[in-house]
Amino acid sequence: MIEASGIRRIFDLAANLKDPVNLSIGQPDFDVPAALKDKAAEAMRLGKNAYTQTQGGPELRAALLDGPLAGYADEQILVTGAVSGGLLLAYMALLDPGDEILLPDPYFVMYKQLALMFDARPVFYDTYPDWKPDPAKIEALITPRTKALLIDSPSNPTGAVYTREELSGIAGILDRHNLIAISDEIYESFCYDAPFVSLRSVARDRTLCLGGFSKSHAMTGWRVGWAAGPAEVVQAMTKLQQFSFVCAPTPFQSAAAAAVAYGMEEHMAAYGRKRDLMYAGLIDAGYQLTRPAGAFYAFPEVPWGSGAEFVAECVKNNLLCIPGNCFSERDTHFRLVFAAKDETIERGVEILRRLKPGK
Ligand code: PLP
């Protein structure tokens, strides 16, 4: 059965709080750059308001093929209704009822629920405690029903970023078992310690990459993303898009075309500093956690009780965060977002310090 989002439950719990310290929302705290808003408004004024082709309008497709997707053939890319749209189409294209998909645990909530929605079986490869994939553990889970393996680096909720060596380990599994990977690269630009490496750089023919503009350019409400990978998979997704999303929003595709080359480095550098601020504060307060290398999440261990119990106490103390069981088959951790004002991060850490016995 598909489960309602536990994250929404926290929002409901929080509805009565006055001025909560909110470290629960998985979206940037900056706004879309003015120049890109102007592009969207201009597109509307120029009458770019009708459907585009199912595979995406020529402007955005050209920008992608000239930029991050250089080297892909035209039939290997698709403009999607953001990454959620890409994930939905990918699951539909790749999985039949009873098929298995290998998912990381902890995972982004949608990965599990989409599998359930299509009567596929989510099979979890555990990345506790350092959030890194262990090829031997993954390989042991493969059965004749395994159809796909999903990775998200940088990861929501852990902030882990996989190295080229770790990705090569995954590429070996794909080759040995003739599998395809879905690589969710939505947090690609949020890498703080080393440049991002895509699975496609080591397993090009076996990787369906999903990316988009929701997080990098704060366009969460604009719903534009892309998929790139093996032509037969992308063509199957395109056909399914004809009967579902039809196309991504036209004026926002125009703005996304401009976003492809629009640098967000200052914001990324600021988020690197926010990562440092939160990590140092949590370590000083006595929390156990792996330092996030990307995205904008930290996933510390709870100091007592279960994730749900500890987060209930956080909410009572005016701090909003999400229990680990929303992202995992376990309930031993909690998720904090550092896409927030420095002052909010500092207030959150102060509350957490008070909730930690012995501090
Ligand atoms: N993938 C991950 C890992 C996410 O964290 C999110 C949003 O939180 C999405 C996909 C969905 O993003 P979009 O807004 O592009 O649909």
Side-chain angles (χ1 to χ4, degrees), residues 26 82-84 108 111 152 156 184 186-187 214-215 223 297:
V83 174
S84 303
F108 169 54
Y111 300 156
D152 74 325
N156 175 8
D184 180 345
I186 191 165
Y187 295 105
S214 296
K215 313 286 174 168
R223 314 311 301 143
Y297 307 103

Side-chain angles (χ1 to χ4, degrees), residues 104-106 125-134 137 158 162 330:
D105 181 354
Y125 59 92
D126 190 310
T127 64
Y128 286 81
D130 60 356
W131 323 128
K132 293 296 193 161
D134 174 346
K137 253 195 206 167
T158 67
Y162 299 170
R330 306 192 197 183

Side-chain angles (χ1 to χ4, degrees), residues 1-4 112-113 116-117:
M1 199 184 72
I2 299 161
E3 294 149 22
K112 175 182 173 183
Q113 301 305 329
L116 300 179
M117 207 186 283

